[in-house]
Amino acid sequence: MKTPSLKKIDPSSSGKFKDRELAELETKKLLKKMYDRLYLMFAHNKFSLLIILQGIDTSGKDGTVRNIFSGSNPQGVRVHSFKNPSEEELRHDFLWRCHEKMPESGFTVIFNRSYYEEVTTVKIHPEYLDDQRIPDELLKDKKFFEKRMERINEFEKMLSQRGTVILKFLLHISKDEQKQRIEERLKDPSKNWKFSPKDIEERKHWNHYMTAFDEMIEATHTKHAPWHVIPSDKKWYRDYLTAKVIEEALKGLEMEFPKVKNRKIKVD
C-alpha cells in the first residue's frame, strides 16, 4: 500500500476539474450517496465510522465539517473538536480523552484534531509535555514519539476489529494560501473571531510541521486506518475529494436494512 507524502502532492491541485461548478455538481451527487449510506449504517447498527481531520492552522477543518456533513442525519453524526487538554485529561494517557468519544455501532464521529496532535504539535513544542506528568526516564527515551505512534497503530487496529471504519484526512494547504486566509480573518469583521496571534507564531515552524506530518503519515498509514492527503488550497476540490473517499469506503461495507422477523404482526 503506497504511503502518501506531502512533498509529492500539490496543495493547489484540482485533479481532473478545470471548472469549479462541475466539481461542486459532482460533490452534490457524492454527498447524496454518502448520506444514504450513513443512514443505512445507522439502521444496520453494526459498523461505525471515525473520520479524523488534521492539518495546519486555517487548513479548513471546520469548513470541511460544515460543507460535507451539513445535510447528513444529525441523529447519527457527532463532531468533537479537541482543544487544549483539561487538567483531568492531562492526568490520563494521551489517548484517553479521544477514546471515550469514539463512535458506537451505527454512528459517525468526526474528530476536528485528535490524538495525532500528540505526535506532531507536541513534537514541535516538547514543553507541552511538562503538564502531562510523565516520568523523566520515559521522556528521555529517544524513541518517545515513535512509541506513541506504535500505540496509535495498536489502538486503531483494536477499533477496526470492532467494526469501526477509520478514515484519516490531512488537509494540505500551501504557506501562501495560509497567509491569505489569515489576512481574510483580519480584514473581515465576521471572521475576526477565528484569528489567533498564535497562528502567526506557528507559521515560523512551517517546515517543522510539514516534516512532522510526513513522519506521522509514514508511521501510521495502515490498511485498517489509511491516511488521505487532500489538496486543500481550493476548498471546492477539498470537499469533492473528501466526499469521494468517504462514499467509496462506505460503499465497500456489507450492510442492509433490518427486517421485521414476524410479518404477521397486526397493528390495531
Side-chain angles (χ1 to χ4, degrees), residues 33-51 69 73 76-78 103-109 163-167 246 249-251 253-258:
K33 293 179 181 179
M34 189 187 82
Y35 298 155
D36 290 344
R37 296 191 195 283
L38 288 175
Y39 181 71
L40 173 58
M41 188 180 73
F42 185 72
H44 183 71
N45 199 26
K46 291 184 178 180
F47 291 102
S48 58
L49 176 63
L50 173 64
I51 293 172
F69 294 95
N73 176 17
V77 178
R78 294 194 297 267
E104 61 264 42
S105 298
F107 278 76
T108 297
V109 165
T164 300
V165 177
I166 304 169
L167 298 175
I246 297 171
L250 293 172
K251 184 179 179 180
L253 301 180
E254 294 184 10
M255 299 185 294
E256 62 181 6
F257 287 106

Side-chain angles (χ1 to χ4, degrees), residues 18 35 87 90 160 188 192:
K18 295 182 180 180
Y35 298 155
E87 179 67 20
L90 287 168
S160 70
D188 187 344
N192 281 177

Side-chain angles (χ1 to χ4, degrees), residues 51-90:
I51 293 172
I52 293 177
L53 299 176
Q54 292 289 150
I56 204 158
D57 296 322
T58 77
S59 59
K61 296 177 289 294
D62 291 339
T64 300
V65 174
R66 183 171 58 253
N67 296 336
I68 298 296
F69 294 95
S70 59
S72 58
N73 176 17
Q75 187 177 18
V77 178
R78 294 194 297 267
V79 180
H80 296 291
S81 296
F82 291 97
K83 307 297 184 183
N84 293 334
S86 67
E87 179 67 20
E88 180 184 16
E89 290 167 344
L90 287 168

Side-chain angles (χ1 to χ4, degrees), residues 53-58 60-63 65 79-90 94 96-98 101 110-118 121-122 128 132 185 193-196 198-199:
L53 299 176
Q54 292 289 150
I56 204 158
D57 296 322
T58 77
K61 296 177 289 294
D62 291 339
V65 174
V79 180
H80 296 291
S81 296
F82 291 97
K83 307 297 184 183
N84 293 334
S86 67
E87 179 67 20
E88 180 184 16
E89 290 167 344
L90 287 168
F94 75 99
W96 183 78
R97 68 171 180 162
C98 293
K101 303 296 184 183
I110 305 158
F111 282 179
N112 185 335
R113 299 186 187 275
S114 67
Y115 41 83
Y116 281 103
E117 295 294 310
E118 295 291 334
T121 301
V122 175
Y128 293 168
Q132 295 188 21
R185 292 180 177 183
W193 65 275
K194 291 184 176 183
F195 172 75
S196 169
K198 184 181 177 182
D199 295 346

Side-chain angles (χ1 to χ4, degrees), residues 11-12 55-64 66-67 171-188 191-192 194-196 199-200 203 206 230-239:
S12 66
I56 204 158
D57 296 322
T58 77
S59 59
K61 296 177 289 294
D62 291 339
T64 300
R66 183 171 58 253
N67 296 336
L171 305 184
H172 185 29
I173 62 170
S174 64
K175 194 173 184 180
D176 286 343
E177 178 65 20
Q178 189 198 50
K179 180 176 183 292
Q180 292 180 26
R181 294 184 184 185
I182 292 175
E183 289 174 344
E184 285 178 11
R185 292 180 177 183
L186 289 169
K187 293 177 182 178
D188 187 344
K191 295 182 178 180
N192 281 177
K194 291 184 176 183
F195 172 75
S196 169
D199 295 346
I200 295 177
R203 274 177 64 81
W206 181 274
I230 305 296
S232 299
D233 277 7
K234 297 179 176 63
K235 298 176 183 179
W236 48 270
Y237 184 61
R238 173 202 70 198
D239 293 345

